[in-house]
């Protein structure tokens, strides 16, 4: 199961790594592919993860979640 997040505020590879690490720490997330150029994160999960948990992880890292599909 995948979800695509649109994230605002990532400007460099360091930002990308920060978001990636935050999302990988969420229980149920098995892989994350983040692009600071596109402002997206594709999250692969082994089980359904609540959008609020994903959003909270990104926002705690200091970035803004615009949408989760």
């Amino acid at each position: 199961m995948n979800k695509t997040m649109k994230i605002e505020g990532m400007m460099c590879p360091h930002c990308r790594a920060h978001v990636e690490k935050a999302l990988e720490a969420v229980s149920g997330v098995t892989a994350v592919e983040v692009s600071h150029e596109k402002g997206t994160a594709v999250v692969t999960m082994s089980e359904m993860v609540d959008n609020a948990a994903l959003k909270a992880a990104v926002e705690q890292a200091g970035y803004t979640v615009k949408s989760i599909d």
Side-chain angles (χ1 to χ4, degrees), residues 13-63:
H14 181 266
C15 296
R16 179 199 57 75
H18 200 205
V19 169
E20 198 170 83
K21 184 176 179 182
L23 287 169
E24 286 173 343
V26 176
S27 180
V29 173
T30 56
V32 180
E33 186 177 324
V34 180
S35 170
H36 67 278
E37 293 98 346
K38 295 179 184 176
T40 60
V42 178
V43 182
T44 303
M45 301 160 289
S46 60
E47 60 191 56
M48 184 60 148
V49 176
D50 187 51
N51 286 353
L54 297 172
K55 182 177 180 182
V58 171
E59 290 182 347
Q60 278 187 324
Y63 304 91

mmCIF file of all heavy atoms in Angstrom, residues 13-63:
data_model
loop_
_atom_site.group_PDB
_atom_site.id
_atom_site.type_symbol
_atom_site.label_atom_id
_atom_site.label_comp_id
_atom_site.label_asym_id
_atom_site.label_seq_id
_atom_site.Cartn_x
_atom_site.Cartn_y
_atom_site.Cartn_z
ATOM 1 N N PRO A 13 18.961 18.390 -0.367
ATOM 2 C CA PRO A 13 19.061 16.976 0.014
ATOM 3 C C PRO A 13 19.010 16.752 1.528
ATOM 4 O O PRO A 13 18.518 15.728 1.990
ATOM 5 C CB PRO A 13 20.405 16.547 -0.572
ATOM 6 C CG PRO A 13 20.597 17.444 -1.752
ATOM 7 C CD PRO A 13 20.030 18.776 -1.309
ATOM 8 N N HIS A 14 19.496 17.699 2.296
ATOM 9 C CA HIS A 14 19.433 17.571 3.750
ATOM 10 C C HIS A 14 17.981 17.566 4.223
ATOM 11 O O HIS A 14 17.596 16.780 5.081
ATOM 12 C CB HIS A 14 20.210 18.713 4.429
ATOM 13 C CG HIS A 14 20.195 18.616 5.926
ATOM 14 N ND1 HIS A 14 19.260 19.272 6.679
ATOM 15 C CD2 HIS A 14 20.976 17.929 6.788
ATOM 16 C CE1 HIS A 14 19.475 18.997 7.957
ATOM 17 N NE2 HIS A 14 20.511 18.179 8.053
ATOM 18 N N CYS A 15 17.161 18.444 3.635
ATOM 19 C CA CYS A 15 15.729 18.476 3.956
ATOM 20 C C CYS A 15 15.084 17.145 3.597
ATOM 21 O O CYS A 15 14.292 16.601 4.363
ATOM 22 C CB CYS A 15 15.027 19.589 3.179
ATOM 23 S SG CYS A 15 15.548 21.264 3.575
ATOM 24 N N ARG A 16 15.424 16.629 2.422
ATOM 25 C CA ARG A 16 14.884 15.349 1.956
ATOM 26 C C ARG A 16 15.193 14.248 2.971
ATOM 27 O O ARG A 16 14.329 13.473 3.357
ATOM 28 C CB ARG A 16 15.468 14.980 0.590
ATOM 29 C CG ARG A 16 14.966 13.644 0.070
ATOM 30 C CD ARG A 16 15.861 13.078 -1.012
ATOM 31 N NE ARG A 16 17.257 12.911 -0.609
ATOM 32 C CZ ARG A 16 17.712 11.935 0.190
ATOM 33 N NH1 ARG A 16 16.902 11.034 0.684
ATOM 34 N NH2 ARG A 16 18.997 11.864 0.486
ATOM 35 N N ALA A 17 16.439 14.205 3.421
ATOM 36 C CA ALA A 17 16.854 13.178 4.372
ATOM 37 C C ALA A 17 16.132 13.321 5.711
ATOM 38 O O ALA A 17 15.777 12.318 6.344
ATOM 39 C CB ALA A 17 18.370 13.251 4.581
ATOM 40 N N HIS A 18 15.893 14.553 6.125
ATOM 41 C CA HIS A 18 15.204 14.811 7.384
ATOM 42 C C HIS A 18 13.767 14.283 7.327
ATOM 43 O O HIS A 18 13.294 13.629 8.262
ATOM 44 C CB HIS A 18 15.236 16.319 7.652
ATOM 45 C CG HIS A 18 15.014 16.696 9.066
ATOM 46 N ND1 HIS A 18 14.517 17.913 9.423
ATOM 47 C CD2 HIS A 18 15.200 16.030 10.230
ATOM 48 C CE1 HIS A 18 14.410 17.978 10.733
ATOM 49 N NE2 HIS A 18 14.819 16.839 11.243
ATOM 50 N N VAL A 19 13.073 14.543 6.219
ATOM 51 C CA VAL A 19 11.694 14.071 6.044
ATOM 52 C C VAL A 19 11.677 12.544 5.941
ATOM 53 O O VAL A 19 10.829 11.873 6.535
ATOM 54 C CB VAL A 19 11.049 14.728 4.806
ATOM 55 C CG1 VAL A 19 9.723 14.053 4.456
ATOM 56 C CG2 VAL A 19 10.833 16.216 5.050
ATOM 57 N N GLU A 20 12.612 12.004 5.190
ATOM 58 C CA GLU A 20 12.704 10.550 5.016
ATOM 59 C C GLU A 20 12.866 9.851 6.372
ATOM 60 O O GLU A 20 12.155 8.889 6.678
ATOM 61 C CB GLU A 20 13.892 10.239 4.111
ATOM 62 C CG GLU A 20 13.885 8.881 3.488
ATOM 63 C CD GLU A 20 14.962 8.780 2.429
ATOM 64 O OE1 GLU A 20 16.128 8.525 2.800
ATOM 65 O OE2 GLU A 20 14.643 8.966 1.248
ATOM 66 N N LYS A 21 13.766 10.356 7.184
ATOM 67 C CA LYS A 21 14.022 9.763 8.503
ATOM 68 C C LYS A 21 12.778 9.854 9.389
ATOM 69 O O LYS A 21 12.439 8.900 10.089
ATOM 70 C CB LYS A 21 15.204 10.476 9.164
ATOM 71 C CG LYS A 21 15.613 9.888 10.486
ATOM 72 C CD LYS A 21 16.842 10.575 11.029
ATOM 73 C CE LYS A 21 17.250 9.995 12.373
ATOM 74 N NZ LYS A 21 18.394 10.666 12.940
ATOM 75 N N ALA A 22 12.084 10.981 9.342
ATOM 76 C CA ALA A 22 10.878 11.164 10.156
ATOM 77 C C ALA A 22 9.788 10.175 9.755
ATOM 78 O O ALA A 22 9.137 9.562 10.610
ATOM 79 C CB ALA A 22 10.369 12.596 10.017
ATOM 80 N N LEU A 23 9.587 9.988 8.460
ATOM 81 C CA LEU A 23 8.545 9.075 7.990
ATOM 82 C C LEU A 23 8.915 7.615 8.237
ATOM 83 O O LEU A 23 8.051 6.804 8.564
ATOM 84 C CB LEU A 23 8.257 9.315 6.505
ATOM 85 C CG LEU A 23 7.492 10.602 6.196
ATOM 86 C CD1 LEU A 23 7.492 10.879 4.704
ATOM 87 C CD2 LEU A 23 6.071 10.527 6.739
ATOM 88 N N GLU A 24 10.181 7.267 8.085
ATOM 89 C CA GLU A 24 10.621 5.890 8.319
ATOM 90 C C GLU A 24 10.416 5.475 9.778
ATOM 91 O O GLU A 24 10.291 4.290 10.073
ATOM 92 C CB GLU A 24 12.079 5.715 7.917
ATOM 93 C CG GLU A 24 12.280 5.690 6.416
ATOM 94 C CD GLU A 24 13.737 5.675 5.993
ATOM 95 O OE1 GLU A 24 14.619 5.997 6.827
ATOM 96 O OE2 GLU A 24 13.992 5.346 4.826
ATOM 97 N N ALA A 25 10.354 6.435 10.684
ATOM 98 C CA ALA A 25 10.171 6.139 12.106
ATOM 99 C C ALA A 25 8.723 5.817 12.462
ATOM 100 O O ALA A 25 8.443 5.319 13.553
ATOM 101 C CB ALA A 25 10.668 7.315 12.945
ATOM 102 N N VAL A 26 7.788 6.078 11.538
ATOM 103 C CA VAL A 26 6.369 5.811 11.806
ATOM 104 C C VAL A 26 6.116 4.305 11.710
ATOM 105 O O VAL A 26 6.513 3.660 10.735
ATOM 106 C CB VAL A 26 5.471 6.584 10.813
ATOM 107 C CG1 VAL A 26 4.005 6.225 11.022
ATOM 108 C CG2 VAL A 26 5.683 8.086 10.948
ATOM 109 N N SER A 27 5.452 3.758 12.703
ATOM 110 C CA SER A 27 5.144 2.328 12.733
ATOM 111 C C SER A 27 4.282 1.932 11.534
ATOM 112 O O SER A 27 3.295 2.604 11.232
ATOM 113 C CB SER A 27 4.407 1.995 14.029
ATOM 114 O OG SER A 27 4.097 0.631 14.075
ATOM 115 N N GLY A 28 4.694 0.874 10.840
ATOM 116 C CA GLY A 28 3.961 0.394 9.676
ATOM 117 C C GLY A 28 4.555 0.847 8.357
ATOM 118 O O GLY A 28 4.226 0.303 7.306
ATOM 119 N N VAL A 29 5.435 1.854 8.396
ATOM 120 C CA VAL A 29 6.083 2.345 7.171
ATOM 121 C C VAL A 29 7.272 1.437 6.868
ATOM 122 O O VAL A 29 8.123 1.210 7.721
ATOM 123 C CB VAL A 29 6.539 3.816 7.332
ATOM 124 C CG1 VAL A 29 7.365 4.263 6.134
ATOM 125 C CG2 VAL A 29 5.331 4.720 7.514
ATOM 126 N N THR A 30 7.322 0.930 5.617
ATOM 127 C CA THR A 30 8.408 0.022 5.244
ATOM 128 C C THR A 30 9.429 0.673 4.320
ATOM 129 O O THR A 30 10.568 0.247 4.262
ATOM 130 C CB THR A 30 7.858 -1.243 4.561
ATOM 131 O OG1 THR A 30 7.072 -0.854 3.435
ATOM 132 C CG2 THR A 30 7.000 -2.048 5.526
ATOM 133 N N ALA A 31 9.006 1.707 3.572
ATOM 134 C CA ALA A 31 9.930 2.404 2.666
ATOM 135 C C ALA A 31 9.403 3.800 2.389
ATOM 136 O O ALA A 31 8.192 4.039 2.427
ATOM 137 C CB ALA A 31 10.078 1.635 1.362
ATOM 138 N N VAL A 32 10.332 4.718 2.096
ATOM 139 C CA VAL A 32 9.964 6.094 1.797
ATOM 140 C C VAL A 32 10.841 6.584 0.651
ATOM 141 O O VAL A 32 12.057 6.371 0.665
ATOM 142 C CB VAL A 32 10.180 7.025 3.023
ATOM 143 C CG1 VAL A 32 9.791 8.455 2.703
ATOM 144 C CG2 VAL A 32 9.416 6.521 4.228
ATOM 145 N N GLU A 33 10.227 7.235 -0.336
ATOM 146 C CA GLU A 33 10.978 7.848 -1.428
ATOM 147 C C GLU A 33 10.589 9.323 -1.478
ATOM 148 O O GLU A 33 9.462 9.666 -1.827
ATOM 149 C CB GLU A 33 10.630 7.170 -2.754
ATOM 150 C CG GLU A 33 11.476 7.666 -3.906
ATOM 151 C CD GLU A 33 11.180 6.931 -5.201
ATOM 152 O OE1 GLU A 33 10.905 5.720 -5.159
ATOM 153 O OE2 GLU A 33 11.219 7.597 -6.246
ATOM 154 N N VAL A 34 11.532 10.179 -1.081
ATOM 155 C CA VAL A 34 11.272 11.613 -0.970
ATOM 156 C C VAL A 34 12.009 12.358 -2.070
ATOM 157 O O VAL A 34 13.162 12.050 -2.377
ATOM 158 C CB VAL A 34 11.715 12.149 0.412
ATOM 159 C CG1 VAL A 34 11.456 13.642 0.537
ATOM 160 C CG2 VAL A 34 11.017 11.388 1.535
ATOM 161 N N SER A 35 11.348 13.356 -2.655
ATOM 162 C CA SER A 35 11.974 14.236 -3.646
ATOM 163 C C SER A 35 11.804 15.678 -3.201
ATOM 164 O O SER A 35 10.673 16.179 -3.146
ATOM 165 C CB SER A 35 11.330 14.043 -5.024
ATOM 166 O OG SER A 35 11.791 15.051 -5.909
ATOM 167 N N HIS A 36 12.920 16.334 -2.869
ATOM 168 C CA HIS A 36 12.810 17.745 -2.490
ATOM 169 C C HIS A 36 12.530 18.607 -3.711
ATOM 170 O O HIS A 36 11.927 19.670 -3.604
ATOM 171 C CB HIS A 36 14.057 18.224 -1.735
ATOM 172 C CG HIS A 36 15.306 18.281 -2.546
ATOM 173 N ND1 HIS A 36 16.083 17.169 -2.771
ATOM 174 C CD2 HIS A 36 15.905 19.298 -3.195
ATOM 175 C CE1 HIS A 36 17.118 17.517 -3.524
ATOM 176 N NE2 HIS A 36 17.034 18.807 -3.793
ATOM 177 N N GLU A 37 12.943 18.145 -4.911
ATOM 178 C CA GLU A 37 12.678 18.907 -6.133
ATOM 179 C C GLU A 37 11.189 18.950 -6.453
ATOM 180 O O GLU A 37 10.655 19.981 -6.853
ATOM 181 C CB GLU A 37 13.417 18.308 -7.345
ATOM 182 C CG GLU A 37 14.922 18.428 -7.286
ATOM 183 C CD GLU A 37 15.580 17.141 -6.792
ATOM 184 O OE1 GLU A 37 14.890 16.240 -6.253
ATOM 185 O OE2 GLU A 37 16.813 17.039 -6.933
ATOM 186 N N LYS A 38 10.504 17.821 -6.279
ATOM 187 C CA LYS A 38 9.068 17.729 -6.572
ATOM 188 C C LYS A 38 8.200 18.096 -5.370
ATOM 189 O O LYS A 38 7.007 18.334 -5.515
ATOM 190 C CB LYS A 38 8.712 16.308 -7.012
ATOM 191 C CG LYS A 38 9.339 15.892 -8.318
ATOM 192 C CD LYS A 38 8.949 14.462 -8.639
ATOM 193 C CE LYS A 38 9.637 13.966 -9.893
ATOM 194 N NZ LYS A 38 9.313 12.538 -10.146
ATOM 195 N N GLY A 39 8.792 18.073 -4.189
ATOM 196 C CA GLY A 39 8.023 18.336 -2.975
ATOM 197 C C GLY A 39 7.084 17.196 -2.633
ATOM 198 O O GLY A 39 5.969 17.427 -2.155
ATOM 199 N N THR A 40 7.547 15.954 -2.871
ATOM 200 C CA THR A 40 6.696 14.798 -2.617
ATOM 201 C C THR A 40 7.419 13.739 -1.786
ATOM 202 O O THR A 40 8.643 13.698 -1.742
ATOM 203 C CB THR A 40 6.249 14.125 -3.931
ATOM 204 O OG1 THR A 40 7.411 13.691 -4.651
ATOM 205 C CG2 THR A 40 5.431 15.072 -4.790
ATOM 206 N N ALA A 41 6.602 12.896 -1.185
ATOM 207 C CA ALA A 41 7.099 11.704 -0.510
ATOM 208 C C ALA A 41 6.137 10.574 -0.830
ATOM 209 O O ALA A 41 4.927 10.719 -0.647
ATOM 210 C CB ALA A 41 7.167 11.923 0.994
ATOM 211 N N VAL A 42 6.667 9.467 -1.334
ATOM 212 C CA VAL A 42 5.865 8.271 -1.571
ATOM 213 C C VAL A 42 6.185 7.309 -0.434
ATOM 214 O O VAL A 42 7.336 6.905 -0.258
ATOM 215 C CB VAL A 42 6.171 7.636 -2.946
ATOM 216 C CG1 VAL A 42 5.359 6.359 -3.124
ATOM 217 C CG2 VAL A 42 5.884 8.632 -4.072
ATOM 218 N N VAL A 43 5.159 6.985 0.336
ATOM 219 C CA VAL A 43 5.319 6.164 1.529
ATOM 220 C C VAL A 43 4.736 4.773 1.253
ATOM 221 O O VAL A 43 3.584 4.650 0.854
ATOM 222 C CB VAL A 43 4.586 6.808 2.728
ATOM 223 C CG1 VAL A 43 4.787 5.986 3.989
ATOM 224 C CG2 VAL A 43 5.060 8.241 2.939
ATOM 225 N N THR A 44 5.546 3.741 1.455
ATOM 226 C CA THR A 44 5.102 2.360 1.313
ATOM 227 C C THR A 44 4.893 1.792 2.710
ATOM 228 O O THR A 44 5.759 1.936 3.573
ATOM 229 C CB THR A 44 6.146 1.523 0.548
ATOM 230 O OG1 THR A 44 6.375 2.136 -0.724
ATOM 231 C CG2 THR A 44 5.677 0.100 0.349
ATOM 232 N N MET A 45 3.727 1.156 2.901
ATOM 233 C CA MET A 45 3.363 0.671 4.230
ATOM 234 C C MET A 45 3.035 -0.823 4.205
ATOM 235 O O MET A 45 2.503 -1.313 3.219
ATOM 236 C CB MET A 45 2.145 1.450 4.731
ATOM 237 C CG MET A 45 2.385 2.945 4.819
ATOM 238 S SD MET A 45 0.864 3.896 4.853
ATOM 239 C CE MET A 45 0.313 3.684 3.166
ATOM 240 N N SER A 46 3.340 -1.490 5.298
ATOM 241 C CA SER A 46 3.003 -2.909 5.430
ATOM 242 C C SER A 46 1.587 -3.072 5.966
ATOM 243 O O SER A 46 1.008 -4.145 5.879
ATOM 244 C CB SER A 46 3.990 -3.600 6.366
ATOM 245 O OG SER A 46 3.940 -3.001 7.650
ATOM 246 N N GLU A 47 1.061 -2.007 6.549
ATOM 247 C CA GLU A 47 -0.297 -1.986 7.098
ATOM 248 C C GLU A 47 -0.824 -0.566 6.952
ATOM 249 O O GLU A 47 -0.058 0.358 6.708
ATOM 250 C CB GLU A 47 -0.281 -2.399 8.571
ATOM 251 C CG GLU A 47 0.576 -1.479 9.422
ATOM 252 C CD GLU A 47 0.826 -2.009 10.822
ATOM 253 O OE1 GLU A 47 1.339 -3.120 10.954
ATOM 254 O OE2 GLU A 47 0.497 -1.277 11.763
ATOM 255 N N MET A 48 -2.122 -0.409 7.091
ATOM 256 C CA MET A 48 -2.717 0.924 6.961
ATOM 257 C C MET A 48 -2.191 1.839 8.067
ATOM 258 O O MET A 48 -2.252 1.495 9.248
ATOM 259 C CB MET A 48 -4.242 0.813 7.045
ATOM 260 C CG MET A 48 -4.923 2.120 6.828
ATOM 261 S SD MET A 48 -4.516 2.774 5.219
ATOM 262 C CE MET A 48 -5.985 3.630 4.812
ATOM 263 N N VAL A 49 -1.644 2.973 7.669
ATOM 264 C CA VAL A 49 -1.146 3.966 8.618
ATOM 265 C C VAL A 49 -2.036 5.197 8.488
ATOM 266 O O VAL A 49 -2.328 5.659 7.384
ATOM 267 C CB VAL A 49 0.326 4.336 8.318
ATOM 268 C CG1 VAL A 49 0.797 5.450 9.243
ATOM 269 C CG2 VAL A 49 1.221 3.112 8.458
ATOM 270 N N ASP A 50 -2.483 5.713 9.611
ATOM 271 C CA ASP A 50 -3.363 6.872 9.635
ATOM 272 C C ASP A 50 -2.652 8.100 9.064
ATOM 273 O O ASP A 50 -1.485 8.351 9.371
ATOM 274 C CB ASP A 50 -3.800 7.132 11.082
ATOM 275 C CG ASP A 50 -4.853 8.205 11.183
ATOM 276 O OD1 ASP A 50 -5.862 8.120 10.452
ATOM 277 O OD2 ASP A 50 -4.666 9.132 11.992
ATOM 278 N N ASN A 51 -3.371 8.861 8.233
ATOM 279 C CA ASN A 51 -2.801 10.079 7.646
ATOM 280 C C ASN A 51 -2.317 11.044 8.719
ATOM 281 O O ASN A 51 -1.309 11.728 8.534
ATOM 282 C CB ASN A 51 -3.819 10.772 6.743
ATOM 283 C CG ASN A 51 -4.032 10.047 5.431
ATOM 284 O OD1 ASN A 51 -3.341 9.088 5.110
ATOM 285 N ND2 ASN A 51 -4.992 10.504 4.670
ATOM 286 N N ALA A 52 -3.013 11.096 9.837
ATOM 287 C CA ALA A 52 -2.624 12.013 10.922
ATOM 288 C C ALA A 52 -1.240 11.677 11.463
ATOM 289 O O ALA A 52 -0.467 12.579 11.805
ATOM 290 C CB ALA A 52 -3.662 11.978 12.037
ATOM 291 N N ALA A 53 -0.908 10.385 11.527
ATOM 292 C CA ALA A 53 0.414 9.975 12.025
ATOM 293 C C ALA A 53 1.509 10.394 11.051
ATOM 294 O O ALA A 53 2.576 10.867 11.467
ATOM 295 C CB ALA A 53 0.451 8.469 12.250
ATOM 296 N N LEU A 54 1.246 10.232 9.755
ATOM 297 C CA LEU A 54 2.224 10.640 8.746
ATOM 298 C C LEU A 54 2.413 12.155 8.768
ATOM 299 O O LEU A 54 3.533 12.665 8.738
ATOM 300 C CB LEU A 54 1.769 10.185 7.353
ATOM 301 C CG LEU A 54 1.658 8.672 7.151
ATOM 302 C CD1 LEU A 54 1.021 8.376 5.806
ATOM 303 C CD2 LEU A 54 3.012 7.998 7.275
ATOM 304 N N LYS A 55 1.298 12.873 8.825
ATOM 305 C CA LYS A 55 1.352 14.338 8.845
ATOM 306 C C LYS A 55 2.098 14.840 10.085
ATOM 307 O O LYS A 55 2.942 15.729 9.990
ATOM 308 C CB LYS A 55 -0.071 14.904 8.815
ATOM 309 C CG LYS A 55 -0.119 16.405 8.779
ATOM 310 C CD LYS A 55 -1.538 16.924 8.665
ATOM 311 C CE LYS A 55 -1.525 18.441 8.631
ATOM 312 N NZ LYS A 55 -2.864 19.009 8.562
ATOM 313 N N ALA A 56 1.817 14.251 11.230
ATOM 314 C CA ALA A 56 2.471 14.668 12.473
ATOM 315 C C ALA A 56 3.983 14.462 12.398
ATOM 316 O O ALA A 56 4.758 15.321 12.844
ATOM 317 C CB ALA A 56 1.889 13.897 13.653
ATOM 318 N N ALA A 57 4.418 13.341 11.817
ATOM 319 C CA ALA A 57 5.856 13.074 11.709
ATOM 320 C C ALA A 57 6.551 14.129 10.859
ATOM 321 O O ALA A 57 7.621 14.627 11.223
ATOM 322 C CB ALA A 57 6.078 11.688 11.109
ATOM 323 N N VAL A 58 5.932 14.492 9.733
ATOM 324 C CA VAL A 58 6.529 15.498 8.838
ATOM 325 C C VAL A 58 6.514 16.874 9.498
ATOM 326 O O VAL A 58 7.498 17.612 9.434
ATOM 327 C CB VAL A 58 5.789 15.524 7.480
ATOM 328 C CG1 VAL A 58 6.248 16.695 6.622
ATOM 329 C CG2 VAL A 58 5.997 14.209 6.743
ATOM 330 N N GLU A 59 5.414 17.210 10.138
ATOM 331 C CA GLU A 59 5.318 18.530 10.767
ATOM 332 C C GLU A 59 6.257 18.659 11.959
ATOM 333 O O GLU A 59 6.812 19.724 12.192
ATOM 334 C CB GLU A 59 3.865 18.835 11.127
ATOM 335 C CG GLU A 59 3.053 19.056 9.851
ATOM 336 C CD GLU A 59 1.604 19.413 10.087
ATOM 337 O OE1 GLU A 59 1.102 19.261 11.229
ATOM 338 O OE2 GLU A 59 0.962 19.844 9.112
ATOM 339 N N GLN A 60 6.493 17.564 12.685
ATOM 340 C CA GLN A 60 7.461 17.597 13.795
ATOM 341 C C GLN A 60 8.868 17.819 13.258
ATOM 342 O O GLN A 60 9.715 18.381 13.943
ATOM 343 C CB GLN A 60 7.407 16.310 14.606
ATOM 344 C CG GLN A 60 6.289 16.291 15.617
ATOM 345 C CD GLN A 60 6.364 15.070 16.512
ATOM 346 O OE1 GLN A 60 6.737 13.979 16.065
ATOM 347 N NE2 GLN A 60 6.029 15.238 17.770
ATOM 348 N N ALA A 61 9.111 17.384 12.014
ATOM 349 C CA ALA A 61 10.421 17.589 11.385
ATOM 350 C C ALA A 61 10.568 19.017 10.865
ATOM 351 O O ALA A 61 11.647 19.408 10.431
ATOM 352 C CB ALA A 61 10.619 16.583 10.253
ATOM 353 N N GLY A 62 9.467 19.788 10.866
ATOM 354 C CA GLY A 62 9.544 21.194 10.499
ATOM 355 C C GLY A 62 9.041 21.537 9.102
ATOM 356 O O GLY A 62 9.342 22.614 8.587
ATOM 357 N N TYR A 63 8.253 20.648 8.503
ATOM 358 C CA TYR A 63 7.762 20.877 7.144
ATOM 359 C C TYR A 63 6.237 20.866 7.123
ATOM 360 O O TYR A 63 5.610 20.407 8.077
ATOM 361 C CB TYR A 63 8.328 19.812 6.189
ATOM 362 C CG TYR A 63 9.833 19.808 6.234
ATOM 363 C CD1 TYR A 63 10.514 18.985 7.118
ATOM 364 C CD2 TYR A 63 10.577 20.686 5.459
ATOM 365 C CE1 TYR A 63 11.899 19.001 7.206
ATOM 366 C CE2 TYR A 63 11.965 20.722 5.549
ATOM 367 C CZ TYR A 63 12.608 19.882 6.429
ATOM 368 O OH TYR A 63 13.978 19.917 6.522
#
